[in-house]
């Protein structure tokens, strides 16, 4: 029997597996890179072993070091989590060879599904419908659009949609670089791209005795950059198409039996609106979105993995599915800026109700699976997912409403996230109607879906609350005249003034606190009820509104039922050295320069790629803001840069006749 488990992973993944191990009375061992030394998963493990370095290639992808860590810590089993080495057959064999228990499928099954090219051939032979693979060198105009995919991995790495044949060579090159960086294998292939497909997957669980469960299906159609953003169980499409579930489950069982599968796995399909579906791949591991299956079945899938690894048999029939569960992935990114990843501190992450952490929801509620805690810092070496927030309710509408409300009321302080986008999706009429294909963001407009939850009026009102809270704070820390209000004068004086930067620019707040109450310019219908450094109550047009104000340096976060607001307190005086020259290309995130598209002195055109950055396992292209001359190039290939670093300067060329 397994006594101690090393999780060959990090963050939320490791914490999720540790939670089940603790409930089962099993010891836990963590591994960590230097960048993760202060990660919550390290603190929560019984024992932790350092893997020197920062990059995945030096740490979490070093199977030899992971096995050495397990032996050093006295673990008798290794759980790979998802990502990194979880679908590496050589690693699975090495775990067995070291005398350890591998909590996953047999190495031959991993190997057979490890190549998306070969796995499709095998599935076709087993009677599972597939989309034909295309040789990248033989793609023609008639095949477009095509999807370039990495053969060895998933999660959107190495995936590119190509609609113009002339773009194919560049996209293939970029996909190969991403695949090599993420999976250590640059092999890519192409397949026909369905613009408006539905991404449906079936959770399977198999034991050594030959029992294969099709536990339930999930729909994961809403994606960005081919990475899932919203997942749910059951699928609205499958619910609507008679007989589709039975056909899906049979195809998934055929896939698992064809490779003598054991443990938890996921068979992924691309479906059309009629209910026809095609095999995409089989993930021979636990999936990020497994909680929605757990909540609708009452199963702890990690516990089942442990049981199967111990040789226990499954029941003849899988448990029934009930209710509806929706999961969203909270990313450190800015959707409005082409999904730009963010890095920096997470000051606070708190949901407004008693969320269950890393456990199955058996009654309606909210679950939080997170890799960060208050005070964590998000770096550039790994995926920018902060947390998964999951709801469970009797109906889909209730699950969506409950999750949207929990997210909108959550206190998420620190770096920018996709929270507003997630709430807008959950409240969108098309989502609520179950119309959730893979083109959701294109169809409904990313600019619309990424809009802030808080209106411009709410932002101004929140800025007023922030100014009043700041005044209360100043009064709290004052050393003289402590009984007088902040800014008090014996005679009438100019208003107090505070400026904040919001979504659409600067917001200047001018107000006086008089014996007759608050007088704020532009807020004639607002009266002050009370104000402390953290809480402000205002009467707004006869309605009482409460605002929670949190400040971290110059960053101010105001939370209320009207919507969350993030502000930057403007300095009273501008530092001349902080002024950036016009035409500067700034690093949007910390990362590594992997390629340059021009040299200093070159003429460039608007939109021309100048610098390629790699951050959070993805490539990001920095383009010229205008046509002109590249007067300055401040970086070289291989250089590490911080956010805000001036990478280059383009001096725009004035059109003829303009001076």
């Amino acid at each position: 029997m397994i006594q101690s488990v090393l999780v060959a992973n990090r963050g939320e993944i490791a914490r999720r597996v540790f939670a089940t191990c603790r409930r089962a009375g099993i010891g836990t061992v963590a591994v960590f890179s230097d960048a993760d030394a202060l990660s919550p998963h390290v603190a929560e493990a019984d024992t932790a072993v350092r893997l020197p370095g920062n990059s995945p290639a030096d740490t979490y992808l070093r199977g030899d070091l992971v096995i050495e860590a397990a032996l050093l810590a006295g673990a008798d089993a290794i759980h790979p989590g998802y990502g990194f080495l979880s679908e590496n057959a050589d690693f699975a064999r090495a775990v067995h060879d070291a005398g350890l228990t591998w909590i996953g499928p047999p190495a031959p099954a991993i190997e057979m599904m490890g190549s998306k090219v070969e796995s499709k051939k095998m599935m076709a032979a087993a009677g599972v419908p597939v989309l034909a693979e295309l040789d990248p060198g033989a793609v023609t105009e008639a095949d477009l659009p095509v999807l370039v995919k990495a053969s060895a991995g998933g999660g959107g790495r190495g995936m590119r949609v190509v609609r113009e044949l002339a773009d194919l060579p560049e996209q293939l090159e970029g996909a190969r670089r991403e695949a090599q960086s993420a999976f250590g294998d640059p092999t890519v292939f192409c397949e026909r791209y369905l613009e408006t497909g539905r991404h449906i997957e079936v959770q399977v669980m198999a034991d050594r005795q030959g029992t294969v469960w099709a536990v339930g299906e999930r729909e994961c159609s809403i994606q960005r950059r081919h990475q899932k953003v919203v997942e749910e169980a059951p699928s609205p499409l499958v619910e609507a198409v008679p007989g589709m579930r039975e056909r899906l489950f049979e195809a998934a069982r055929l896939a698992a039996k064809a490779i003598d599968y054991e443990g938890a796995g996921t068979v992924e399909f691309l479906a059309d609106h009629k209910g026809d579906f095609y095999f995409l791949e089989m993930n021979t591991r636990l999936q990020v979105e497994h909680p929605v299956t757990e909540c609708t079945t009452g199963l702890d899938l990690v516990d089942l993995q442990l049981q199967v690894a111990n040789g226990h048999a499954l029941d003849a029939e899988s448990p029934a599915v009930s209710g509806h569960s929706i999961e969203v992935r909270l990313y450190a990114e800015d959707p409005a800026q082409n999904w730009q990843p963010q890095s920096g501190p997470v000051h606070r992450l708190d949901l407004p109700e008693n969320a269950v952490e890393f456990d199955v929801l058996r009654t309606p509620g909210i679950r939080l699976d997170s890799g960060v805690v208050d005070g964590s810092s998000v770096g550039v070496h790994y995926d920018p997912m902060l947390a998964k927030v999951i709801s469970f309710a009797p109906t889909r509408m209730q699950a969506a409403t409950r999750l949207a409300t929990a997210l909108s009321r959550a206190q998420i302080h620190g770096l920018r996230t996709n929270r507003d986008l997630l709430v807008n999706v959950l409240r969108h009429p098309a989502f609520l109607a179950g119309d959730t294909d893979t083109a959701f963001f294109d169809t409904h407009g990313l600019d619309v879906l990424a809009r802030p939850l808080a209106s411009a009026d709410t932002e101004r009102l929140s800025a007023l609350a922030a100014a009043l809270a700041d005044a209360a704070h100043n009064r709290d820390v004052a050393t003289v005249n402590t009984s007088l209000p902040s800014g008090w004068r014996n005679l009438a004086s100019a208003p107090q003034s505070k400026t904040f930067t919001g979504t659409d620019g600067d917001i200047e707040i001018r107000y006086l606190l008089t014996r007759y109450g608050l007088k704020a310019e532009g807020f004639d219908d607002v009266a002050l009820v009370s104000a402390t450094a953290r809480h402000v109550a205002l009467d707004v047009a006869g309605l009482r509104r409460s605002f929670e104000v949190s400040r971290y340096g110059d960053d101010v976060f105001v939370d209320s039922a009207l919507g969350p607001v993030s502000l930057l307190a403007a300095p009273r005086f501008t530092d001349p050295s902080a002024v950036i020259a016009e035409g500067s290309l700034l690093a949007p995130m910390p990362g590594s320069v992997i390629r340059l598209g021009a040299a200093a002195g070159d003429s460039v055109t608007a939109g021309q790629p100048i610098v390629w950055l790699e951050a959070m396992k993805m490539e990001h292209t920095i383009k010229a803001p205008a046509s002109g001359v590249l007067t300055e190039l401040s970086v070289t290939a291989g250089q590490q840069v911080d956010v805000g670093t001036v990478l280059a300067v383009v001096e725009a060329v004035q059109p003829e006749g303009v001076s």
Side-chain angles (χ1 to χ4, degrees):
M1 298 294 288
I2 295 171
Q3 300 296 319
S4 178
V5 173
L6 179 145
V7 178
N9 225 294
R10 62 178 298 278
E12 171 265 329
I13 308 168
R15 296 184 77 200
R16 164 67 190 94
V17 178
F18 289 164
T20 288
C21 289
R22 284 195 297 270
R23 290 191 289 267
I26 296 172
T28 56
V29 179
V31 288
F32 64 94
S33 66
D34 292 336
D36 278 339
L38 300 179
S39 173
H41 84 273
V42 178
E44 291 177 1
D46 297 330
T47 307
V49 181
R50 174 180 174 245
L51 304 178
N54 287 318
S55 73
D58 294 332
T59 55
Y60 299 108
L61 288 173
R62 286 286 303 274
D64 55 336
L65 297 183
V66 172
I67 291 172
E68 286 178 13
L71 297 173
L72 176 66
D76 56 2
I78 290 181
H79 191 300
Y82 27 91
F84 293 135
L85 294 168
S86 62
E87 295 179 285
N88 187 308
D90 290 338
F91 179 59
R93 288 192 182 94
V95 170
H96 282 297
D97 292 344
L100 302 169
T101 297
W102 169 251
I103 305 172
I110 299 174
E111 203 159 50
M112 285 184 277
M113 292 295 102
S115 167
K116 292 181 174 61
V117 175
E118 295 304 316
S119 66
K120 285 193 172 188
K121 296 176 183 177
M122 187 176 301
M123 291 300 101
V128 179
V130 301
L131 278 174
E133 175 217 345
L134 300 173
D135 180 351
V139 172
T140 67
E141 289 281 356
D143 298 317
L144 299 176
V146 297
L147 182 64
V148 181
K149 299 179 71 173
S151 180
R157 275 80 188 186
M159 271 194 196
R160 309 291 181 93
V161 177
V162 180
R163 294 183 172 85
E164 300 290 339
L165 201 58
D167 296 336
L168 184 59
E170 181 182 351
Q171 295 302 324
L172 285 170
E173 182 183 349
R176 288 181 180 121
R177 285 196 302 269
E178 282 188 356
Q180 176 64 44
S181 176
F183 314 116
D185 183 349
T187 306
V188 298
F189 68 99
C190 296
E191 67 185 17
R192 184 163 57 93
Y193 181 60
L194 301 183
E195 295 277 8
T196 57
R198 304 281 285 254
H199 190 116
I200 313 293
E201 60 190 34
V202 179
Q203 175 72 57
V204 296
M205 180 67 69
D207 61 20
R208 295 176 185 171
Q209 291 74 25
T211 299
V212 178
W213 283 355
V215 184
E217 89 280 350
R218 300 183 286 257
E219 178 151 352
C220 314
S221 298
I222 298 181
Q223 303 179 7
R224 62 96 165 99
R225 288 181 169 174
H226 312 292
Q227 287 183 303
K228 301 161 189 173
V229 176
V230 182
E231 302 108 342
E232 58 182 312
S235 158
L237 175 66
V238 176
E239 292 273 273
V241 178
M244 185 177 177
R245 179 168 289 120
E246 290 74 15
R247 291 187 290 117
L248 269 173
F249 284 9
E250 178 60 21
R253 284 190 289 261
L254 282 173
K257 290 179 179 179
I259 59 172
D260 296 323
Y261 199 75
E262 293 176 17
T266 301
V267 187
E268 301 198 356
F269 300 94
L270 191 63
D272 61 25
H273 68 281
K274 298 179 295 184
D276 293 329
F277 55 85
Y278 307 92
F279 174 84
L280 285 177
E281 62 187 6
M282 183 174 182
N283 290 304
T284 52
R285 54 173 169 81
L286 201 64
Q287 289 279 90
V288 176
E289 58 272 20
H290 74 274
V292 297
T293 297
E294 293 186 322
C295 293
T296 51
T297 60
L299 297 172
D300 182 331
L301 293 176
V302 174
D303 188 58
L304 281 175
Q305 286 184 297
L306 295 171
Q307 291 184 42
V308 168
N310 275 322
H312 293 170
L314 299 172
D315 293 338
E317 298 294 332
S318 60
V321 171
S322 64
H324 202 96
S325 182
I326 304 175
E327 171 183 296
V328 294
R329 303 190 190 189
L330 184 69
Y331 282 106
E333 66 184 11
D334 186 352
Q337 299 297 321
N338 196 28
W339 310 102
Q340 197 173 90
Q342 308 288 300
S343 61
V346 179
H347 300 302
R348 183 169 175 78
L349 175 58
D350 183 59
L351 295 174
E353 55 183 289
N354 296 324
V356 170
E357 292 191 76
F358 302 108
D359 201 0
V360 180
L361 290 171
R362 293 179 171 85
T363 58
I366 296 293
R367 167 175 166 173
L368 175 68
D369 286 16
S370 177
V372 300
V373 295
D374 293 359
S376 290
S377 182
V378 176
V380 300
H381 300 288
Y382 314 112
D383 188 274
M385 189 178 78
L386 301 178
K388 303 178 314 197
V389 187
I390 306 105
S391 66
F392 174 62
T395 69
R396 185 173 185 271
M397 180 65 76
Q398 290 171 327
T401 300
R402 190 160 196 156
L403 184 54
T405 300
L407 282 168
S408 67
R409 301 288 182 89
Q411 293 188 344
I412 304 173
H413 301 164
L415 71 186
R416 188 182 298 276
T417 73
N418 65 336
R419 181 254 299 271
D420 291 3
L421 172 94
L422 297 174
V423 175
N424 288 331
V425 168
L426 291 168
R427 290 174 174 169
H428 197 281
F431 177 83
L432 297 175
D435 185 10
T436 56
D437 60 39
T438 53
F440 192 89
F441 292 128
D442 292 333
T443 301
H444 302 291
L446 182 59
D447 56 337
V448 174
L449 294 169
R451 285 176 182 167
L453 295 176
S455 67
D457 287 343
T458 294
E459 192 170 71
R460 289 186 65 252
L461 199 59
S462 298
L464 174 62
L468 295 170
D470 188 52
H473 168 74
N474 292 339
R475 183 59 18 218
D476 290 342
V477 298
T479 56
V480 296
N481 296 326
T482 57
S483 62
L484 297 179
S486 177
W488 184 87
R489 299 290 186 273
N490 190 38
L491 299 174
S493 63
Q496 294 291 300
S497 177
K498 296 184 185 296
T499 301
F500 301 93
T501 302
T503 302
D504 296 318
D506 289 346
I507 304 170
E508 185 181 16
I509 301 297
R510 294 170 58 83
Y511 69 94
L512 282 171
L513 293 173
T514 74
R515 67 183 65 188
Y516 304 107
L518 172 69
K519 289 186 176 180
E521 294 181 8
F523 297 94
D524 295 337
D525 58 351
V526 176
L528 175 63
V529 178
S530 62
T532 68
R534 289 296 309 275
H535 179 83
V536 174
L538 301 172
D539 275 344
V540 184
L543 300 175
R544 183 67 52 90
R545 300 290 189 184
S546 295
F547 301 84
E548 293 291 332
V549 182
S550 303
R551 184 161 179 168
Y552 312 87
D554 292 332
D555 294 317
V556 184
F557 298 88
V558 185
D559 296 290
S560 74
L562 295 173
V565 170
S566 173
L567 302 167
L568 179 66
R572 293 186 65 187
F573 305 102
T574 301
D575 181 356
S577 66
V579 177
I580 303 298
E582 185 177 354
S584 296
L585 281 67
L586 307 181
M589 77 288 289
S592 175
V593 177
I594 59 174
R595 187 179 168 197
L596 299 174
D602 286 354
S603 295
V604 297
T605 57
Q608 178 180 334
I610 303 298
V611 179
W612 282 262
L613 284 180
E614 183 180 57
M616 297 181 177
K617 301 196 286 186
M618 299 288 283
E619 279 191 15
H620 308 276
T621 307
I622 315 301
K623 301 178 180 180
S627 297
V629 177
L630 189 65
T631 58
E632 182 180 334
L633 185 62
S634 310
V635 294
T636 58
Q639 182 177 337
Q640 293 287 326
V641 297
D642 293 325
V643 62
T645 298
V646 177
L647 307 174
V649 177
V650 174
E651 184 176 315
V653 175
Q654 294 284 353
E656 292 186 12
V658 177
S659 59

